[in-house]
Amino acid sequence: MLDSETKAVETPEDHAEELRLWLRLLTCTTLIEGEVRGRLRQRFDVTLPRFDLMAQLDKAPDGMTLSDVSKRMMVSNGNVTGLVERLVESGHLDRRTSETDRRVQVIRLTKLGRAEFRRMAAEHETWIADLFVDLTPKDVRELMRLLAKTKASAQKSAARRRP
Amino acid sequence: MLDSETKAVETPEDHAEELRLWLRLLTCTTLIEGEVRGRLRQRFDVTLPRFDLMAQLDKAPDGMTLSDVSKRMMVSNGNVTGLVERLVESGHLDRRTSETDRRVQVIRLTKLGRAEFRRMAAEHETWIADLFVDLTPKDVRELMRLLAKTKASAQKSAARRRP
DNA sequence: GCCGATTTCTTTAGGCTTCAAATAATTGGC
DNA sequence: GCCAATTATTTGAAGCCTAAAGAAATCGGC
């Protein structure tokens, strides 16, 4: 068997397909994210990061620490500090220092915060449904599967670099 | 045929699957984007928006107007103004007012800008390949197809709201 | 109990991003 | 040629975001 027949080891590898995939993934996300951001602003005068933070807290009735939030939202600590500050200011969040560990701040939705979030979330869900409306249930399942695989692959790759 | 048997028209529609799909899409993108941003910073001390802008210009040897760039990158005009300002300042971009329409600014990569971009792009491509390495060629094709469908669906939905 | 390492959070500096309003140039109808 | 509408860009205010450095509290050996 000749070298030239063995999987083209010598040629500089062509990753154009993966690159195109990444750009398409990014385009889809940017498109949908922009649409959601605009609607949140128009309908509720709220920003996407605020909405996302409230969404995290809505799933945690007992509250979360800032670190939890920062990990879940995949943003920096400092970012969360400012975000929380503004949401406490506007009365949507309650923030208190943990009894057992005075480094830790526990934040919760206030009654107002929860009520407003639920109202927004209900409408938000219909927007998402509309944005994905042309996908069949099978498309959705298949996308879920492939994105799960993508996420796993990317996490492994990230871990290889930063073990 | 009873009403309760006809596609559950009365029940508030359940869009939980689409919501989960959106969150997974967002997670994948955030994960990869964060990884790319970090590597660009570490290896080349450049930001992702700067890289993206240079990527657009690399594909347009005759230059682009700021509006073109803003549409392609799906960001606001004001955003591009500042980005370009900094890249002109650092010698990567050349900017001139159009001869035929004095409202228009045409920007191009400088020699330095092009050289640096090519160097970064080559490495960038290997990062992307590594991030997607666990996907088979078939996975990639299938994802491309489903994301194209998603993009079309989202664009239609956006157009319905803002015709 | 003490002290170095770690964890949690804040601060700082700089850059990115949006929206809305303002500026400047062009176009089209008359 | 004139003027209203449109188009291209800039500006300003506010908020988002990161990385890195710093402050405060806790933890783990010893």
Side-chain angles (χ1 to χ4, degrees):
Chain A
M1 189 196 277
L2 294 175
D3 254 344
S4 62
E5 289 173 1
T6 62
K7 281 192 189 165
V9 187
E10 307 283 343
T11 60
E13 323 229 14
D14 177 26
H15 303 307
E17 288 309 309
E18 284 88 344
L19 209 47
R20 266 194 283 277
L21 176 57
W22 165 230
L23 292 180
R24 188 162 294 181
L25 188 60
L26 190 54
T27 298
C28 274
T29 302
T30 305
L31 183 61
I32 297 170
E33 193 173 322
E35 199 57 26
V36 170
R37 187 200 319 282
R39 298 191 197 200
L40 280 175
R41 238 188 52 67
Q42 267 199 353
R43 289 278 299 131
F44 303 113
D45 193 33
V46 76
T47 65
L48 185 52
R50 274 167 159 92
F51 178 82
D52 285 344
L53 175 45
M54 293 171 82
Q56 292 299 329
L57 289 177
D58 188 57
K59 292 185 290 192
D62 295 343
M64 299 174 77
T65 70
L66 296 202
S67 290
D68 286 345
V69 171
S70 140
K71 272 174 208 122
R72 285 293 194 91
M73 294 181 69
M74 298 194 278
V75 299
S76 68
N77 281 349
N79 188 355
V80 174
T81 295
L83 216 40
V84 166
E85 203 167 76
R86 287 183 287 271
L87 278 166
V88 167
E89 169 69 23
S90 63
H92 294 86
L93 257 56
D94 170 76
R95 161 202 219 138
R96 63 186 61 168
T97 303
S98 162
E99 303 277 326
T100 57
D101 186 339
R102 269 174 302 172
R103 286 171 305 181
V104 173
Q105 304 284 317
V106 178
I107 54 176
R108 284 176 179 76
L109 285 177
T110 60
K111 210 162 177 176
L112 169 72
R114 190 170 301 273
E116 285 205 9
F117 173 73
R118 292 282 170 85
R119 202 159 54 83
M120 296 190 288
E123 197 160 327
H124 173 263
E125 191 168 315
T126 69
W127 302 338
I128 300 301
D130 191 56
L131 284 160
F132 287 96
V133 75
D134 288 350
L135 300 192
T136 66
K138 188 182 163 197
D139 287 339
V140 173
R141 274 196 308 277
E142 193 61 4
L143 254 180
M144 284 290 278
R145 184 183 71 80
L146 289 168
L147 289 174
K149 202 168 173 183
T150 302
K151 179 179 167 187
S153 178
Q155 277 174 334
K156 264 175 57 183
S157 172
R160 270 195 295 278
R161 188 173 67 108
R162 224 182 312 91
Chain B
M1 191 197 274
L2 294 175
D3 253 342
S4 62
E5 289 173 0
T6 62
K7 282 190 187 165
V9 187
E10 310 281 343
T11 59
E13 324 225 18
D14 178 26
H15 303 307
E17 286 310 309
E18 284 88 346
L19 210 48
R20 265 194 285 276
L21 175 56
W22 165 232
L23 292 180
R24 188 162 294 180
L25 188 60
L26 189 54
T27 298
C28 275
T29 302
T30 305
L31 183 59
I32 297 170
E33 193 173 322
E35 198 58 26
V36 171
R37 187 202 319 283
R39 296 193 200 201
L40 281 175
R41 236 189 54 68
Q42 268 199 352
R43 288 280 297 131
F44 302 112
D45 193 32
V46 76
T47 66
L48 184 52
R50 274 166 157 93
F51 179 81
D52 285 344
L53 176 44
M54 293 172 83
Q56 291 299 328
L57 289 177
D58 188 57
K59 292 186 290 192
D62 295 345
M64 301 173 76
T65 70
L66 295 203
S67 291
D68 287 346
V69 172
S70 137
K71 271 174 208 121
R72 285 295 194 89
M73 293 181 70
M74 298 194 278
V75 299
S76 69
N77 281 349
N79 188 352
V80 174
T81 296
L83 216 39
V84 167
E85 202 167 78
R86 286 183 287 271
L87 278 167
V88 168
E89 168 69 24
S90 64
H92 294 85
L93 258 56
D94 170 75
R95 160 202 219 137
R96 62 186 62 167
T97 303
S98 162
E99 302 277 326
T100 57
D101 186 339
R102 269 174 303 171
R103 287 170 306 181
V104 173
Q105 304 284 317
V106 178
I107 54 176
R108 284 178 180 73
L109 284 177
T110 60
K111 209 161 177 174
L112 169 73
R114 190 169 301 274
E116 284 206 8
F117 174 73
R118 293 283 170 84
R119 203 159 52 85
M120 295 190 290
E123 198 160 325
H124 172 264
E125 191 169 315
T126 69
W127 301 338
I128 299 301
D130 191 55
L131 285 159
F132 286 97
V133 75
D134 288 349
L135 300 192
T136 67
K138 188 181 164 197
D139 287 339
V140 173
R141 275 197 308 277
E142 192 62 3
L143 255 180
M144 284 290 278
R145 185 182 71 79
L146 290 167
L147 289 174
K149 203 169 172 181
T150 302
K151 180 180 168 187
S153 177
Q155 277 173 334
K156 265 175 57 183
S157 171
R160 271 195 294 279
R161 186 172 69 107
R162 225 181 316 91

